[in-house]
Amino acid sequence: MDLPSRLEALITPSLEAMGYELVRVQMQGNQRPTLQVMADRVDGAAMSIEDCTEISRALSALLDVEDPIAGAYTLEVSSPGLDRPLTRPKDFVRWAGHEVKLETAQPIEGRKRFRGRLDGLDAEGRVVLTLDEGGAVALPLAEVRGAKLVLTDDLIRAAIKDQEGLRTDD
């Protein structure tokens, strides 16, 4: 099992117990590597600095005990933000209708980079896009190397609407 997969398996149960969901775990850099952990609140509320601090403290203790990373590294905990990476099948369903940039591991239809409106997943589990230049494409999810939402006015409006829907007037 590769390091990111081992870290994901180690981190996920603690995050879930705290009411969070892992979005992505990634190691970056060589000299002084950074372990980047992106998380969301399970209740759908916006992530706060306090949430990131709580996660950082818990994961620091867990990683100190388990010691899965050789040598020194920096732990960075963050929310995915509005222009979030899409990493799980449910992300491609949840954010359908919004603009995305996507890159595949291997060329598909002669290219690796795609941009357009996300139409979700089809019956075979392929990511369906309506391309900016016209036409549509269905990309195997297993071939998607990276995907993220593009910050648009529509995305901002949707985020505001989501947050307003979570507020309660007591």
Side-chain angles (χ1 to χ4, degrees):
M1 186 183 293
D2 66 348
L3 181 59
S5 298
R6 285 187 318 190
L7 290 168
E8 185 174 328
L10 179 65
I11 291 169
T12 298
S14 293
L15 284 178
E16 289 175 352
M18 296 167 60
Y20 300 100
E21 182 174 38
L22 182 65
V23 173
R24 180 175 76 189
V25 61
Q26 183 175 12
M27 289 296 295
Q28 299 174 325
N30 293 323
Q31 298 291 21
R32 172 82 177 194
T34 297
L35 170 58
Q36 181 190 59
V37 176
M38 280 189 188
D40 261 338
R41 291 175 55 117
V42 172
D43 65 8
M47 288 284 287
S48 67
I49 292 173
E50 291 79 17
D51 290 321
C52 292
T53 300
E54 178 184 8
I55 292 169
S56 181
R57 286 185 181 133
L59 294 185
S60 289
L62 175 66
L63 294 167
D64 284 348
V65 169
E66 296 294 329
D67 200 24
I69 301 169
Y73 64 94
T74 301
L75 174 62
E76 175 186 290
V77 176
S78 66
S79 84
L82 284 179
D83 55 345
R84 67 189 305 117
L86 306 177
T87 60
R88 305 161 291 186
K90 71 180 191 173
D91 295 336
F92 292 93
V93 174
R94 161 70 178 94
W95 297 101
H98 292 285
E99 192 168 341
V100 298
K101 290 194 297 189
L102 188 144
E103 186 172 342
T104 57
Q106 300 296 320
I108 296 174
E109 297 184 14
R111 62 197 264 195
K112 290 176 138 186
R113 290 188 177 95
F114 300 85
R115 183 177 173 137
R117 186 188 72 233
L118 176 61
D119 295 324
L121 296 177
D122 67 10
E124 288 90 42
R126 296 177 300 184
V127 178
V128 180
L129 295 177
T130 299
L131 301 172
D132 284 351
E133 66 269 17
V137 65
L139 307 167
L141 187 56
E143 285 297 316
V144 175
R145 186 169 77 186
K148 70 180 276 182
L149 292 174
V150 175
L151 191 58
T152 63
D153 290 342
D154 286 340
L155 182 59
I156 292 168
R157 280 191 290 274
I160 290 169
K161 184 178 176 185
D162 283 352
Q163 288 308 304
E164 287 174 350
L166 292 173
R167 293 188 186 132
T168 58
D169 296 323
D170 293 318

